[in-house]
Amino acid sequence: MESLPCNGCKGMCCGPVPITKDELKKIKKKIKSMPKKTRLDLKHQRRYFGTCIFYDEINDRCGIHSVRPSICRAFGYYNNLICFRNPKLASRRNYTTNSHPIGILSVDFTWSDFI
């Protein structure tokens, strides 16, 4: 994220977010390890429609950054995942993966799946 100009974007690029089975497990573990207040503060934030349920609008960052899905880690660096504020950073070919997503955060998986 340090090379991306994310500050001030308000999560506009954070969605839709497909996740794999392994990513789901890591996210569940991360959410359960959070202090209850932190978890509830993150859960009850208002977000733009389609924005990931884990985008922390108050702090303008990913609420699960250390376990964010692979597509989030790739964002901004691939031609099909361009950051509109720093398009030159996308110097790699299109992002592809062999992992099959089991669903989309905010659509197939909501906060009720994590608490």
Side-chain angles (χ1 to χ4, degrees), residues 87-102:
K88 294 176 189 165
L89 196 59
S91 59
R92 300 177 192 160
R93 294 183 176 187
N94 286 343
Y95 174 78
T96 59
T97 181
N98 293 331
S99 301
H100 298 289
I102 58 169

Side-chain angles (χ1 to χ4, degrees), residues 1 6 11 19 26-27 31 35 37-39 44-45 50 53 55 64 71 78 82 84 94 99 106:
M1 266 179 78
C6 297
I19 61 170
K26 288 177 185 175
I27 294 168
I31 296 300
K37 183 180 180 339
T38 303
R39 187 173 55 238
H44 294 296
Q45 292 181 32
I53 61 174
Y55 175 71
I64 59 165
I71 195 164
Y78 290 84
I82 291 177
F84 71 94
N94 286 343
S99 301
S106 306

